[in-house]
Amino acid sequence: MKFAAKIALAIAALAMLATPAMAQKTVKWKLAMTWPATLTPLASPPAKVAKMVEEMSGGTFVIKVEGKEKHKAPLGILDMVKGGQYQMGHSGSYYWKGKDISTIFFTTIPFGMTTAEQYAWFYYDDGMKYMQQVYDRFKVLNFPGGNTGVQMGGWFKKEINSLDDLKGLKMRIPGLAGEVFAKLGVNVTNIPAGELYTSLDRGTIDALEWVGPGMDIKMGFHKVAPFYYTGWHEPASEMQFLINKRAYEKLSAEHKAILQTAMKAAAADMYYENFAASANAWEKMKTDFPNIKVKTFPLPVLKAMKKATDELLDTYAAKDAQFKEILDSQRTFMKKARQWSVISDYNYIKTSMDVE
Ligand code: CA
């Protein structure tokens, strides 16, 4: 056989080997988000996953992302993914606490772990194991979907000087933190993002929490509620990717690997995006909006919040064995992780400020 013919045969053989992956049938999925498509950085991870998945799969795996303006069911994501109307969803795990209280652990809990501590618990301790266990009853898979980092404690029309100032206050605050405030006499409510400013402006509520300066300033809350409190209740809010289990199982091994990689990269990227947005907004805030008064809740108020948080967690643990197991796992891991956070990040920041 001539050399050229041998080469041609070798190329043909290679082409045949490559055929199974190349000829992969195009998979078309739909993803529903809790957020409007424009609400970055919360809406960023799904768009990034869709782009990465399409590129990495050579166009054989396509995900169409729909914001809440399209499906009109921001708090129906879990049901829609479970039912198979959407193969994927992007939301926040603690929105499903009415279906299963253990879902709160995969977003954040008041006085809980920081972002680094929580990611370590997810990926290198038992977090992911419990995440799948809790979501198994819904026949969906759950994966980390992007972190906001420490959220601010919210916007208040009046300064909070004592526990008495919380009594009768009307506030929008979701998750377990809402239950904590309710225990302290606050009238707690949850209001969709689009109505927050109007509710605060018209006095339907006296206070609200949203995310942090990167997202809050754009909403204009500071114009009607100038007291901006530092955080205690959402130290590391993680978004979530939900996947219909049957749809996932039908994927090829390549598509599964591509999707997993894209979700992990997009989740990490949201943390960087929000950190940058908040750093930029915080810097501008001092010059552009000098009326904003940054405050930390008085220590007796914070201590009452911590006590109420522990009481709520222990009450749920006494009623629910799975909740207790996950709470114990988080508490054990956090105790160890926090010692390292203190000696590394906390101590380093203090040291670098001391030498200024
Ligand atoms: Ca929040």
Side-chain angles (χ1 to χ4, degrees):
M1 202 187 289
K2 278 189 181 151
F3 183 69
K6 274 187 188 166
I7 294 282
L9 258 181
I11 289 170
L14 273 175
M16 278 174 73
L17 274 176
T19 299
M22 306 289 273
Q24 191 137 236
K25 204 169 128 248
T26 300
V27 176
K28 287 184 179 167
W29 274 18
K30 284 202 303 177
L31 182 155
M33 302 191 284
T34 286
W35 345 103
T38 50
L39 194 71
T40 57
L42 301 187
S44 301
K48 286 174 185 164
V49 162
K51 188 170 182 284
M52 281 188 270
V53 162
E54 186 162 355
E55 285 174 2
M56 289 196 279
S57 71
T60 62
F61 189 3
V62 181
I63 301 170
K64 189 172 169 240
V65 178
E66 291 185 1
K68 75 151 198 196
E69 65 282 357
K70 187 99 190 229
H71 56 72
K72 316 264 190 239
L75 297 177
I77 308 294
L78 176 57
D79 286 336
M80 293 193 295
V81 174
K82 185 183 166 203
Q85 293 101 304
Y86 289 84
Q87 291 79 13
M88 262 183 106
H90 190 253
S91 190
S93 189
Y94 66 3
Y95 291 135
W96 323 122
K97 80 180 173 78
K99 294 179 192 284
D100 190 327
I101 187 67
S102 295
T103 52
I104 63 169
F105 292 117
F106 314 119
T107 306
T108 186
I109 57 170
F111 301 105
M113 290 187 269
T114 64
T115 303
E117 292 164 353
Q118 189 165 277
Y119 271 138
W121 181 69
F122 283 158
Y123 292 123
Y124 292 96
D125 200 72
D126 287 332
M128 292 289 277
K129 180 187 86 182
Y130 288 125
M131 201 181 276
Q132 301 316 336
Q133 236 175 58
V134 168
Y135 278 89
D136 206 44
R137 56 178 285 201
F138 304 111
K139 302 278 182 283
V140 301
L141 300 170
N142 183 61
F143 296 95
N147 205 288
T148 63
V150 177
Q151 295 199 5
M152 288 292 284
W155 300 87
F156 291 72
K157 289 189 176 180
K158 288 188 186 136
E159 191 173 353
I160 303 299
N161 292 306
S162 70
L163 279 169
D164 281 344
D165 292 334
L166 288 178
K167 303 237 159 45
L169 196 83
K170 289 172 284 177
M171 181 170 186
R172 180 268 180 195
I173 178 167
L176 195 75
E179 294 181 40
V180 170
F181 262 169
K183 250 175 114 80
L184 300 179
V186 175
N187 284 327
V188 172
T189 170
N190 199 359
I191 295 169
E195 296 159 37
L196 287 175
Y197 180 82
T198 320
S199 305
L200 194 61
D201 188 33
R202 291 189 188 154
T204 315
I205 49 173
D206 309 304
L208 61 79
E209 72 77 55
W210 183 227
V211 180
M215 294 189 70
D216 291 5
I217 303 288
K218 289 187 277 190
M219 304 283 270
F221 303 139
H222 54 274
K223 291 177 205 156
V224 279
F227 294 94
Y228 197 19
Y229 278 86
T230 56
W232 62 279
H233 68 307
E234 296 201 43
S237 297
E238 185 70 31
M239 305 303 116
Q240 64 174 174
F241 280 115
L242 292 165
I243 304 180
N244 179 286
K245 220 171 169 177
R246 272 166 302 144
Y248 183 79
E249 278 158 11
K250 280 189 214 156
L251 292 178
S252 66
E254 289 95 328
H255 283 170
K256 281 180 185 161
I258 286 168
L259 182 58
Q260 294 264 3
T261 306
M263 286 191 297
K264 201 165 177 180
D269 201 55
M270 191 192 109
Y271 176 68
Y272 315 145
E273 186 185 354
N274 191 53
F275 191 100
S278 283
N280 290 329
W282 193 262
E283 186 196 33
K284 268 181 66 185
M285 198 172 88
K286 289 178 202 154
T287 47
D288 295 4
F289 311 106
N291 70 312
I292 297 174
K293 294 171 185 70
V294 177
K295 298 275 171 187
T296 294
F297 291 110
L299 197 57
V301 173
L302 286 164
K303 284 192 166 173
M305 290 166 175
K306 175 72 165 74
K307 188 166 170 278
T309 300
D310 289 339
E311 282 169 6
L312 278 164
L313 290 171
D314 290 335
T315 306
Y316 282 121
K319 288 189 289 197
D320 184 328
Q322 187 174 45
F323 187 94
K324 184 181 185 309
E325 197 181 326
I326 306 173
L327 179 64
D328 288 347
S329 166
Q330 273 209 348
R331 280 177 172 166
T332 306
F333 189 77
M334 182 170 154
K335 209 171 159 190
K336 158 170 69 180
R338 184 55 53 86
Q339 288 177 23
W340 174 238
S341 295
V342 168
I343 208 68
S344 56
D345 285 359
Y346 183 83
N347 190 63
Y348 167 71
I349 289 171
K350 192 182 165 297
T351 301
S352 64
M353 287 172 82
D354 287 348
V355 297
E356 275 299 310

